[in-house]
Amino acid sequence: MRLILVGPPGAGKGTQAVFLAAHYSIPHISTGDIFRANIKGETELGKLAKSYMDAGNLVPDSVTNEMLKDRIGHADAADGFLLDGYPRNVGQAEFLDEVLEEKAISLDAVLELQISNEEIIKRLSGRRTCRDCGAPSHVIFEKPAVDGVCDKCGGELYQREDDKEEVVANRLNVYAEQTEPIISYYQKEGLLKVISAYGDVSEISASAIAALK
Ligand code: AP5
Ligand code: MG
């Protein structure tokens, strides 16, 4: 299965990706998580990405595209992958099509998670993210068993810099202006499946699996 998850910030892409990647036995590739791991490791890539991410803007395509191409070339992605947060504009979607064409492989589906801005703000204001595995949780909606500790790996939970209110507003604008156009791009390619991102995490997972059948 070669799958893309698309949806606004806070729609639940990372939450559903953990489940879907396990269900289809494919790696979960999140460009946001790769950037955050580089920021944590204080690499050159991390230093470059940080200023864009903290402001809620896209990291330049020249950097992001090469990073993604390298990641999908790893052995674990040979038989499939789930992309979370990539592509994020039409240029990236076109670049991905070229990379896949060179490899003579193609996408199976693009799954869009639909949700309102009001709900996004509730989700992002209470989100906590694991410093080690990147898994999201929520102080009210997905409370960890022990405060401040990741249920999945035991890592420390923190609040992302870009979850501050003013940065969230910019991320929503960037999504509407730059990312939404990829939805019609994939609709024209006949790959788009749309599901509602409201309800329990497990209900949404079930709708995702049904839509992908
Ligand atoms: P990225 O890390 O991809 O962030 P994002 O797309 O803004 O999405 P989020 O991670 O904020 O939300 P999500 O949909 O994963 O929701 P989650 O599951 O956490 O990107 C960050 C930055 O990196 C970008 O702004 C950009 O600067 C850069 N970047 C990344 N990729 C790039 C690219 N391709 N090109 C250029 N730049 C790039 O859920 C949110 C919260 O809701 C959590 O607390 C969760 O517990 C809770 N929740 C989830 N589901 C439910 C539910 N059903 N009910 C109640 N609560 C729920
Ligand atoms: Mg995420």
Side-chain angles (χ1 to χ4, degrees), residues 13-14 36 84 127 160:
K13 301 183 295 296
R36 281 183 289 277
D84 159 9
R127 173 165 62 185
R160 273 171 47 177

Side-chain angles (χ1 to χ4, degrees), residues 52-91:
Y52 295 99
M53 292 175 76
D54 286 353
N57 293 322
L58 298 189
V59 177
D61 288 355
S62 53
V63 174
T64 310
N65 283 340
E66 288 310 315
M67 179 180 92
L68 190 278
K69 184 178 179 184
D70 173 76
R71 180 62 187 88
I72 61 176
H74 291 194
D76 67 342
D79 295 328
F81 49 74
L82 186 167
L83 302 184
D84 159 9
Y86 184 98
R88 252 178 152 92
N89 58 33
V90 171

Side-chain angles (χ1 to χ4, degrees), residues 127-144:
R127 173 165 62 185
R128 295 295 179 270
T129 301
C130 177
R131 274 198 202 282
D132 293 339
C133 74
S137 56
H138 193 283
V139 292
I140 299 166
F141 305 139
E142 261 201 292
K143 237 171 125 36

Side-chain angles (χ1 to χ4, degrees), residues 62-206:
S62 53
V63 174
T64 310
N65 283 340
E66 288 310 315
M67 179 180 92
L68 190 278
K69 184 178 179 184
D70 173 76
R71 180 62 187 88
I72 61 176
H74 291 194
D76 67 342
D79 295 328
F81 49 74
L82 186 167
L83 302 184
D84 159 9
Y86 184 98
R88 252 178 152 92
N89 58 33
V90 171
Q92 292 183 8
E94 288 168 350
F95 177 84
L96 179 63
D97 274 350
E98 284 166 27
V99 172
L100 298 180
E101 209 176 296
E102 270 170 34
K103 293 176 182 287
I105 54 180
S106 53
L107 293 168
D108 293 298
V110 175
L111 186 67
E112 182 196 357
L113 302 180
Q114 281 189 339
I115 192 164
S116 69
N117 286 1
E118 256 178 305
E119 181 69 17
I120 286 171
I121 288 159
K122 282 191 216 155
R123 289 187 183 183
L124 291 185
S125 57
R127 173 165 62 185
R128 295 295 179 270
T129 301
C130 177
R131 274 198 202 282
D132 293 339
C133 74
S137 56
H138 193 283
V139 292
I140 299 166
F141 305 139
E142 261 201 292
K143 237 171 125 36
V146 180
D147 272 355
V149 179
C150 175
D151 278 347
K152 296 188 175 79
C153 78
E156 182 202 353
L157 297 176
Y158 78 108
Q159 186 161 27
R160 273 171 47 177
E161 252 330 281
D162 59 349
D163 282 348
K164 289 181 188 148
E165 215 177 304
E166 60 283 11
V167 183
V168 169
N170 187 43
R171 286 163 66 202
L172 291 171
N173 286 336
V174 168
Y175 181 79
E177 284 166 16
Q178 301 186 46
T179 308
E180 260 179 5
I182 74 169
I183 290 171
S184 48
Y185 178 92
Y186 286 121
Q187 194 164 30
K188 281 184 206 136
E189 290 192 0
L191 290 168
L192 189 70
K193 315 266 180 198
V194 182
I195 61 166
S196 160
Y198 289 98
D200 288 345
V201 170
S202 58
E203 282 168 15
I204 300 164
S205 303

